[in-house]
Amino acid sequence: MQNWIILGLVAAMIVVTVALVIARMGGNATDAASVSDAISAIVQDSAGVLNADGTRTLSDDFTQEKGLLVRDFQPERWSMGTLPQEGLYRMRMWPGVISWSILGVANAERFRFSTSVAVSADTPWGYGGVMARHSDDSNLYMVQVDGAGRLRLIVQEEGVWSTLQDWTASPALRSAGSLNELTLQDDGETVSVYGNGTLLLNTDGISLPTGNTGVVAGSLQNDVAEANFDWVRFQTLP
């Protein structure tokens, strides 16, 4: 927990330093009040809100242009970004591509991560979901929910993918065009996945170290797929 807070503060200092350099080059204000406001905003994004029980919470309802998740576009690979007027984070993925957008929360050993996601009704062959313990692009695990209301849990360790639970239908999950609330709870030993309030799986078969958390999307057919996220919420556990 302490390491996570320190990392957030270090990241804040680096970003503010870069911002100061850019501001000076552009002739913009770099007074103490402006710097203080910038630091407060970045520390809020990096460290989240401190709760009475000592846990911390980060959340985003995607109503602001700048939020927790990145805006990015790679031709014929992916397009992702916040749509403030719709209050959505949209990910469009080309065939054969799995991609993710991370919160930048590292080294939280015990946490709960929730989101509300809908696979577009126009692309029911797509999937959306959540990922965690991302220490680098070769080590992570992800929970995927597709447009048919099925769930899959896959793990990548040292670049090798394995399936802990293959595509499994659940009456608790809704099909494309409808929102599914997914909750991932990871206490460092056991990973539990909930869909719309129903426990879908428990496993202690993931041995990855701590890492970042985020959202994922992809296509299961030879066509572009779209997933829309309504909000995200991350909370450390006591």
Side-chain angles (χ1 to χ4, degrees):
M1 166 69 108
Q2 188 176 17
N3 289 339
W4 177 49
I5 297 171
I6 292 172
L7 283 172
L9 292 173
V10 171
M13 292 173 64
I14 293 172
V15 173
V16 170
T17 301
V18 174
L20 280 170
V21 173
I22 294 173
R24 289 187 181 277
M25 291 176 64
N28 297 322
T30 57
D31 57 276
S34 299
V35 174
S36 177
D37 290 344
I39 292 174
S40 295
I42 295 171
V43 169
Q44 167 69 19
D45 286 344
S46 301
V49 176
L50 179 62
N51 303 312
D53 61 0
T55 62
R56 289 186 177 270
T57 302
L58 293 91
S59 62
D60 196 342
D61 62 4
F62 306 125
T63 56
Q64 303 296 320
E65 183 66 32
K66 293 183 179 180
L68 295 176
L69 300 177
V70 71
R71 174 180 294 277
D72 193 25
F73 172 71
Q74 297 291 331
E76 298 186 1
R77 290 183 63 78
W78 61 72
S79 172
M80 59 184 75
T82 301
L83 303 177
Q85 293 184 341
E86 299 181 46
L88 295 173
Y89 185 80
R90 176 165 294 163
M91 300 180 73
R92 291 178 56 83
M93 311 304 299
W94 270 250
V97 176
I98 302 177
S99 191
W100 45 83
S101 182
I102 61 176
L103 300 180
V105 178
N107 297 331
E109 295 181 0
R110 297 165 51 82
F111 62 88
R112 181 183 298 111
F113 179 53
S114 301
T115 188
S116 183
V117 57
V119 174
S120 172
D122 296 328
T123 64
W125 52 84
Y127 62 82
V130 294
M131 53 84 70
R133 300 199 200 178
H134 173 279
S135 55
D136 56 49
D137 287 349
S138 296
N139 293 277
L140 56 95
Y141 74 88
M142 62 178 65
V143 177
Q144 306 163 327
V145 173
D146 71 0
R150 301 181 303 165
L151 176 137
R152 178 170 68 170
L153 173 60
I154 58 176
V155 179
Q156 185 182 206
E157 189 166 4
E158 299 300 330
V160 178
W161 287 99
S162 60
T163 302
L164 290 191
Q165 178 170 307
D166 209 349
W167 291 112
T168 303
S170 170
L173 296 174
R174 306 181 183 112
S175 57
S178 298
L179 288 167
N180 283 297
E181 183 174 325
L182 299 179
T183 297
L184 173 66
Q185 184 163 305
D186 187 334
D187 65 7
E189 295 181 359
T190 302
V191 172
S192 303
V193 180
Y194 297 82
N196 299 311
T198 299
L199 178 63
L200 301 179
L201 67 87
N202 271 318
T203 180
D204 57 3
I206 299 175
S207 58
L208 295 169
T210 59
N212 282 299
T213 306
V215 297
V216 303
S219 176
L220 297 174
Q221 293 188 10
N222 193 30
D223 208 344
V224 176
E226 177 181 298
N228 294 298
F229 297 82
D230 196 43
W231 50 265
V232 292
R233 184 180 302 115
F234 178 94
Q235 183 176 5
T236 58
L237 297 175

